[in-house]
Amino acid sequence: MAASLPEFPTSVKNFQRYLQIKTVQPTPDYATCGQFLRDMADELGLPHQVYEMAPGKPIVVMTWEGKDPTLPSIGLNSHTDVVPVYEEFWSEDPFAANIVQDDAGEHRIIARGTQDMKIVGMCYLEAIRELRNRGVKQLLRTVHVIFVPDEEIGGADGMQAFTQHDSFKKLNLGLMLDEGLATPDNLYKVYYGEKAPWWARFTAEGNTGHGSKFIPNTAGPKLANVINALLQFRGQEEKRLIAGKDEATGKLIREGDVTTVNLTMLSGGKQHNVVPHALEACFDIRVSPFVDYEKFSAWLAELAHRNDVTLDYELKYTKPNVTFLENNPWWAAMQRVGKRLDIPHDADILTGATDSRWVRCLGIPCLGVSPMRNHPILLHDHDEYVTVNCYLEGIHYYEHLIEELANVG
Ligand SMILES: CSCC[C@H](NC(C)=O)C(=O)O
Ligand SMILES: [Zn+2]
Ligand SMILES: [Zn+2]
């Protein structure tokens, strides 16, 4: 028989309520979500604004005005949408937010979006509640809690559009916090930059004919050359990462220093015995932010040209996407909080792309952190969960972090 569960605090119940709203792509229930967030803002006594860059896709901004509202503000960003599920592979209903005790006695909240990234949005709000409950009426800087739609599908109707809007400029952000990742280690990872997603499509064309003949100049060998070259480059990058050191310079190599390449789609052809007119290969390439984009782009173009293959991009991000940490007062404030709470902080580059890219390219510093240590990385995976203790620690963390950041003079 399952052990009976204890009574959890209201903050946990609020998190469960948020998880139960099916903001799942491709048809997220943004109406219910927007109402839930407006109700939370009212409960917390935070004035709020709702913006729509596209009909039915609310951006909710809650504001805690600072003592000096002329100073650049602190943005606490999270996205409200979540990715689809393979329900048959889940041990619990992914939208019930059930709490289940594991073998170690930890209570797991199991739901889509627990890690990515409803935990973060709810921790921001519950931390502000704690701060106010403990009598903190105002911090030095204004704090904006920002909830955006559609991050999981690229953010065109969410953060990307919002950053072009006057109401975003008026937020006057000096720093934006955004998502990071869980870590299996006993630390928090802070992401100060991201790799650039380049989604490349190579199309080879050639002669057609009977599948039993030696037909010259066909699409297959041309595309094979391109695939082989890219997979060879992939192998070299993987080797550099495994070695952990640059052979020539001796410099340490970490995840953010290498470019990943994956062949993600292959298509073409009509029938087994018809040599195809065209074949297509799609690659998801994540370019290290420390690579010379122009040089790398030229190499890809030359590879295509040399093999008589056309190259086009579904996505090619080339804007700046790094927040440098040297002499960075925000990073210093985060490290102080890490020390105070005895939670080591490790800076890294994120392999995936988040909404931070739309903000960093405006010159606004962004740091990504999701307060989940000693947890497997389960974003976009089956049985995504966080433990109740992890969530409560997250609230405590932001209680300290928001205060520290918003009081940076
Ligand atoms: C470029 S839109 C897709 C965004 C997605 N972000 C994450 C964090 O997984 C990705 O990197 O594939
Ligand atoms: Zn996310
Ligand atoms: Zn995601």
Side-chain angles (χ1 to χ4, degrees), residues 55-371:
K57 298 187 174 187
I59 295 172
V60 181
V61 180
M62 308 178 190
T63 300
W64 186 7
E65 189 167 274
K67 286 179 205 153
D68 186 350
T70 65
L71 285 174
S73 65
I74 306 296
L76 306 175
N77 186 60
S78 67
H79 61 81
T80 53
D81 59 326
V82 300
V83 292
V85 292
Y86 289 95
E87 200 150 354
E88 63 276 27
F89 293 108
W90 284 64
S91 59
E92 298 288 325
D93 173 349
F95 297 99
N98 288 332
I99 298 183
V100 173
Q101 193 166 21
D102 67 18
D103 293 341
E106 288 288 334
H107 292 106
R108 294 182 181 186
I109 310 169
I110 302 175
R112 172 57 88 224
T114 42
Q115 293 198 3
D116 184 14
M117 63 172 297
K118 286 181 171 175
I119 182 176
V120 176
M122 261 322 95
C123 282
Y124 293 150
L125 296 183
E126 295 298 337
I128 290 175
R129 191 198 305 279
E130 290 296 322
L131 280 166
R132 287 157 82 107
N133 282 349
R134 91 161 132 82
V136 180
K137 297 223 159 25
Q138 244 183 342
L139 302 167
L140 178 64
R141 291 170 189 265
T142 296
V143 173
H144 296 290
V145 195
I146 307 164
F147 291 87
V148 291
D150 278 8
E151 187 274 348
E152 294 292 4
I153 55 167
D157 290 339
M159 187 57 99
Q160 184 182 11
F162 190 39
T163 52
Q164 302 309 306
H165 208 262
D166 217 37
S167 40
F168 178 84
K169 293 186 183 81
K170 284 191 181 138
L171 298 180
N172 187 24
L173 297 183
L175 167 74
M176 191 177 89
L177 292 186
D178 202 346
E179 66 189 308
L181 292 175
T183 96
D185 305 316
N186 186 32
L187 50 80
Y188 288 174
K189 285 256 191 183
V190 179
Y191 294 95
Y192 64 97
E194 295 173 4
K195 294 190 187 184
W198 290 16
W199 292 348
R201 183 187 302 109
F202 294 89
T203 309
E205 289 185 0
N207 294 331
T208 60
H210 198 282
S212 68
K213 310 288 280 181
F214 283 120
I215 293 166
N217 192 33
T218 59
K222 298 181 192 181
L223 194 63
N225 285 343
V226 169
I227 294 174
N228 288 340
L230 277 167
L231 293 185
Q232 196 191 357
F233 171 72
R234 181 188 197 277
Q236 287 164 0
E237 289 295 274
E238 191 180 19
K239 236 168 114 184
R240 279 196 327 128
L241 181 61
I242 291 169
K245 222 187 212 180
D246 187 277
E247 267 179 24
T249 63
K251 181 184 158 284
L252 284 185
I253 302 287
R254 297 181 44 143
E255 179 69 62
D257 298 304
V258 295
T259 294
T260 57
V261 176
N262 279 296
L263 175 58
T264 50
M265 291 189 281
L266 267 177
S267 59
K270 287 202 182 283
Q271 187 172 298
H272 240 103
N273 58 356
V274 180
V275 173
H277 163 65
L279 289 173
E280 204 178 271
C282 295
F283 288 87
D284 185 348
I285 307 175
R286 303 298 175 118
V287 189
S288 160
F290 307 119
V291 154
D292 181 333
Y293 289 160
E294 267 183 38
K295 242 181 169 171
F296 187 62
S297 181
W299 178 70
L300 291 171
E302 198 276 325
L303 174 66
H305 182 73
R306 180 168 17 112
N307 288 290
D308 188 27
V309 165
T310 59
L311 164 60
D312 64 289
Y313 290 94
E314 179 78 25
L315 176 67
K316 190 182 187 189
Y317 194 82
T318 54
K319 293 194 182 130
N321 201 357
V322 174
T323 297
F324 290 99
L325 299 179
E326 295 79 38
N327 302 317
N328 181 322
W330 313 115
W331 172 231
M334 284 181 101
Q335 286 179 302
R336 282 197 297 278
V337 171
K339 281 215 170 74
R340 193 185 311 147
L341 301 182
D342 198 21
I343 303 172
H345 282 45
D346 184 22
D348 210 344
I349 294 287
L350 195 69
T351 55
T354 73
D355 275 336
S356 286
R357 70 190 182 282
W358 308 120
V359 178
R360 282 202 189 99
C361 72
L362 302 175
I364 299 171
C366 290
L367 296 171
V369 63
S370 292

